[in-house]
Amino acid sequence: MIPVRCFTCGKVISPAWKEFKERRDAGEDPKQVLDDLGLERYCCRRMLLTHKEIVEDLNPYQ
Amino acid sequence: MDIAFAQLDERVAKFVLSGASPAFANTLRRAMISEVPTLAIEDVRIYDNTSVLFDEMLTHRLGLIPLKTDLRRYKPKDECTCEEGVCPVCTATYTLSVEGPGMVTSSDLIPQDPDAAPAEEKIPIIELARDQKIVLEAHAVVATGKEHAKWQPTVACGFKNYPVIVIDGNCDACGMCVDECPRGVLETEHGKVNVVEGRLELCSMCRLCEKACLAGGIGAEPAIHVSADESRFIFVVEGDGSMPVSEIIKRALQYIQTKSDDLVEVLTEITGEGADEEVSY
């Protein structure tokens, strides 16, 4: 799961994940998406840029 | 001491504090971060959790959700008179009961007190697959950021000195400092280097312009000097939504006032009567 808040500054960044993922996968430039989502600081931007979702991979093993 | 606001919204405030010492500016910063109390989920009673996250990871995520806080309504636990530890004066209760498939968000967290609802509605808590289920009861209490970062009312909260840029008469307007400045603070106009109007506060005092000036062969001393005004500070305060930023600033200032009053009182007690005359404000 995407962390609720940015590790460094504490801004709540998780609501932006869904839109970021959809638009990035649609081929948009991540820079443009992050700017639109209002993530100004590079600490918050790296939270989304470097995230890897593994919840779905774990589901079969519950 | 003077405060001039450049921006004051619900979530973000930018202001210039002038006529203060660096120590006071830092006191204000620290008070805003760690001395203004907010609500955050502290205890969770889990009845059922068949999701992929462990109970403690789930509760950690719940704890980080910012909750709207009315401090006139809630008291810190140690100031509350209740004995069992859970009462409406010191605790806000939430229930969460969701069955998969689907995403559990902060809006599924049902507050008993609607005024203490999560500050944001779309915070994902956990993705549930088919036949997965979460049933829990959460208790939020009021505490300060000193204890845990989840009780901080601010996210990025900091200050920097007010920059002072002086350009000497021997400037030959070669424009190298203008090209070098990463914040676009400088410009060349009428054969002279100037600070662009309204962009001075963006200066990060990196002094790349001074280096560029020296590299341009002006001599041993650069023609541009960047320094910091030691009595003016540019503050940026960003709230997490639990309360308006103006209230955070107000409560932090109230805290500083109470603390310094307490100190004066203690000093009076130690030194005996008439100590007030010795303490100068």
Side-chain angles (χ1 to χ4, degrees):
Chain A
M1 295 297 299
I2 177 87
V4 176
R5 290 178 184 234
C6 167
F7 291 153
T8 306
C9 71
K11 185 183 166 81
V12 178
I13 46 103
S14 52
W17 169 249
K18 197 169 166 251
E19 189 183 335
F20 175 76
K21 193 176 87 178
E22 283 167 7
R23 288 175 61 182
R24 182 199 57 191
D25 292 347
E28 247 181 276
D29 182 11
K31 175 182 185 288
Q32 186 56 46
V33 184
L34 289 167
D35 286 343
D36 290 351
L37 288 167
L39 296 169
E40 205 179 298
R41 290 180 287 275
Y42 58 70
C43 59
C44 307
R45 294 167 80 94
R46 63 90 205 257
M47 294 300 294
L48 296 181
L49 279 174
T50 60
H51 179 62
K52 174 87 175 78
E53 197 72 76
I54 56 164
V55 165
E56 280 136 39
D57 302 341
L58 287 172
N59 269 333
Y61 305 107
Q62 191 60 32
Chain B
M1 209 176 297
D2 190 38
I3 290 182
F5 281 94
Q7 187 189 353
L8 182 60
D9 301 335
E10 184 87 6
R11 285 290 185 100
V12 192
K14 287 181 184 163
F15 59 88
V16 176
L17 173 73
S18 37
S21 65
F24 182 83
N26 196 37
T27 309
L28 176 59
R29 182 189 68 88
R30 292 185 57 149
M32 285 189 289
I33 294 173
S34 63
E35 300 292 352
V36 178
T38 58
L39 274 174
I41 291 174
E42 170 73 348
D43 295 308
V44 181
R45 189 177 292 248
I46 294 173
Y47 297 108
D48 201 356
N49 174 22
T50 49
S51 73
V52 290
L53 285 193
F54 293 123
D55 292 355
E56 42 273 70
M57 288 169 81
L58 188 67
T59 40
H60 176 246
R61 288 182 74 85
L62 289 171
L64 290 175
I65 295 170
L67 305 168
K68 283 186 198 133
T69 309
D70 183 358
L71 285 176
R72 282 162 299 179
R73 222 191 128 126
Y74 291 98
K75 267 189 186 171
K77 211 149 206 181
D78 48 346
E79 284 173 29
C80 186
T81 49
C82 72
E83 277 167 17
E84 67 271 30
V86 178
C87 81
V89 181
C90 63
T91 311
T93 306
Y94 303 80
T95 49
L96 180 75
S97 171
V98 191
E99 249 175 86
M103 179 69 85
V104 186
T105 62
S106 51
S107 55
D108 295 319
L109 205 59
I110 313 293
Q112 254 176 24
D113 169 16
D115 293 335
E120 278 180 55
E121 285 190 343
K122 286 190 181 138
I123 301 172
I125 298 169
I126 174 69
E127 172 112 57
L128 292 180
R130 216 163 63 90
D131 296 332
Q132 291 181 347
K133 195 174 160 189
I134 289 180
V135 182
L136 56 83
E137 190 185 286
H139 299 289
V141 295
V142 169
T144 55
K146 222 166 27 179
E147 204 168 319
H148 189 287
K150 68 182 174 183
W151 281 298
Q152 281 179 12
T154 56
V155 300
C157 170
F159 66 87
K160 66 172 182 182
N161 279 101
Y162 206 91
V164 181
I165 300 176
V166 181
I167 295 149
D168 292 344
N170 61 341
C171 168
D172 56 5
C174 64
M176 281 178 78
C177 53
V178 179
D179 296 336
E180 197 66 37
C181 182
R183 300 280 175 104
V185 174
L186 303 167
E187 65 178 353
T188 6
E189 205 182 49
H190 311 305
K192 219 180 156 245
V193 172
N194 283 318
V195 175
V196 183
E197 212 177 298
R199 289 191 75 86
L200 177 61
E201 290 184 11
L202 293 172
C203 172
S204 66
M205 288 174 270
C206 60
R207 292 168 206 266
L208 283 174
C209 49
E210 288 184 3
K211 279 181 201 154
C213 193
L214 282 177
I218 194 104
E221 279 291 311
I224 184 165
H225 300 278
V226 179
S227 58
D229 187 337
E230 291 292 325
S231 65
R232 286 175 89 193
F233 305 92
I234 302 169
F235 270 83
V236 177
V237 185
E238 214 172 293
D240 68 352
S242 51
M243 59 181 86
V245 178
S246 57
E247 196 184 335
I248 298 172
I249 300 169
K250 238 181 271 170
R251 286 195 181 266
L253 291 170
Q254 274 165 7
Y255 167 83
I256 298 170
Q257 194 167 35
T258 333
K259 270 280 164 176
S260 57
D261 285 352
D262 287 353
L263 179 66
V264 171
E265 216 168 276
V266 171
L267 284 176
T268 322
E269 232 168 71
I270 295 170
T271 53
E273 288 301 308
D276 285 46
E277 293 155 27
E278 289 166 30
V279 182
S280 63
Y281 290 95

